[in-house]
Amino acid sequence: MRVGVHINRFDHPGGGPALGAELAAAGAAAEAAGVSWLSVMDHYFQMEFNDRAEDPMLEAYTTLGYLAAHTSTVRLGALVTGVTYRHPGLLAKIATSLDVLSGGRATLGIGAAWYDREHEGLGVPFPPVAERFERLEETLRICLQMWDPEANGPFEGEHYRLAETLCVPAPVSAPHPEIMIGGGGEKKTLRLVARYGDACNLFTTSPEEVRHKLDVLRGHCDTEGRDYEEIRKTVLYMGEAAVEGDLDAFTRDIAGYSKLGIDTVILAPRTGEPAAFIENFAAPAVQRLAGLD
């Protein structure tokens, strides 16, 4: 099992002027530690359950571009892009640019979006959940069409209509940037993973619950004629062991997931100084998880 880090707070004691140096340090620490994944949230406002909406929040893809310039090996992505935040043609172009400039290290993490306050706050339309999932599927189809050099042409969907799907330069990743679909919804989200996803992301609710979600995913793969083993399985860990720096407790927490085929456990430090967290906790966690059967 590999370790990823999800940077989800930007409340550095030095304020906004300190964030650039902190993120560069986090990237360097991640690569020195052998961390395989580095992600940021895609939000306009800080999530209220992560403290306050008024707390600092950086735009995701600008931040990922900055991290790309300060790293060379770690995979980069948003966990996860809200489908409502950008027109899908523009999103495909943004993800492609990240992939090109990072040398093929971009993942398009994407989901149906949920944070109504930030949509209302900045005047971004927030359709009902059923429509958001319809838009999510159309967005996935548009991205795949734009990433197919032989498929330039119109796209006619229920919610989006494109006259052209031109995308030059093409992604560096072959055949295209990895698509990671976040969420554990059994009827819609996991079906989309089976149909379009290269990776999924689930919460570490319990090994039993994650096993159930993966069984549901396997069933969708059978229906879609998809090889379940092709899909990279990841989980987001937000347990207290990481907050408290208790590596033994963390290892015990994760042990139950080790036989489920989980590729990467993503840590979400609750700090605006992620570089120190990576050095002090993520680095030894990399070694611990590498030894799990």
Side-chain angles (χ1 to χ4, degrees), residues 89 92-93 145-149 151-154 162-169:
K93 188 67 177 177
Q145 183 169 326
M146 288 187 67
W147 290 335
D148 183 346
N152 179 33
L162 286 70
E164 297 182 79
T165 50
L166 188 64
C167 188
V168 182

Side-chain angles (χ1 to χ4, degrees), residues 6-194:
H6 178 54
I7 299 172
N8 59 97
R9 299 188 67 129
F10 300 97
D11 52 343
H12 192 283
L19 289 176
E22 179 64 33
L23 288 168
E31 297 199 323
V35 167
S36 65
W37 164 271
L38 203 55
S39 57
V40 297
M41 294 190 295
D42 189 26
H43 285 299
Y44 305 143
F45 299 166
Q46 178 58 271
M47 299 180 298
E48 291 168 319
F49 65 77
N50 212 24
D51 205 352
R52 305 179 309 147
E54 295 82 4
D55 284 347
M57 178 55 58
L58 295 179
E59 194 281 322
Y61 282 93
T62 308
T63 306
L64 290 169
Y66 182 85
L67 286 168
H70 288 84
T71 56
S72 59
T73 61
V74 69
R75 179 160 287 278
L76 302 166
L79 194 65
V80 291
T81 304
V83 71
T84 50
Y85 297 160
R86 300 166 190 84
H87 190 284
L90 175 61
L91 176 61
K93 188 67 177 177
I94 291 169
T96 300
S97 298
L98 178 64
D99 193 64
V100 169
L101 296 177
S102 68
R105 294 185 286 128
T107 285
L108 174 62
I110 192 164
W114 59 270
Y115 195 1
D116 52 349
R117 176 175 174 175
E118 63 187 357
H119 287 76
E120 294 166 4
L122 297 189
V124 177
F126 188 65
V129 64
E131 182 179 327
R132 298 202 305 274
F133 273 99
E134 292 170 0
R135 289 176 178 271
L136 175 56
E137 183 158 13
E138 287 191 19
T139 295
L140 291 165
R141 290 171 53 204
I142 289 167
C143 288
L144 289 170
Q145 183 169 326
M146 288 187 67
W147 290 335
D148 183 346
E150 305 300 321
N152 179 33
F155 177 91
E156 291 289 334
E158 179 69 23
H159 303 287
Y160 303 110
R161 292 167 181 81
L162 286 70
E164 297 182 79
T165 50
L166 188 64
C167 188
V168 182
V172 173
S173 296
H176 54 70
E178 179 184 60
I179 295 171
M180 175 188 285
I181 299 173
E186 297 180 13
K187 293 182 179 179
K188 294 182 178 181
T189 302
L190 294 178
R191 178 184 61 82
L192 291 175
V193 172

Side-chain angles (χ1 to χ4, degrees), residues 217-259:
L217 175 59
R218 190 186 296 273
H220 285 306
C221 286
D222 291 342
T223 300
E224 297 289 337
R226 179 76 186 281
D227 183 354
Y228 169 83
E229 300 299 333
E230 289 180 351
I231 298 171
R232 189 166 71 92
K233 291 85 177 174
T234 74
V235 291
L236 180 64
Y237 179 84
M238 301 181 71
E240 291 298 320
V243 178
E244 297 167 0
D246 189 337
L247 192 60
D248 291 335
F250 167 74
T251 306
R252 289 193 298 271
D253 284 351
I254 294 303
Y257 300 91
S258 64
K259 293 180 172 60

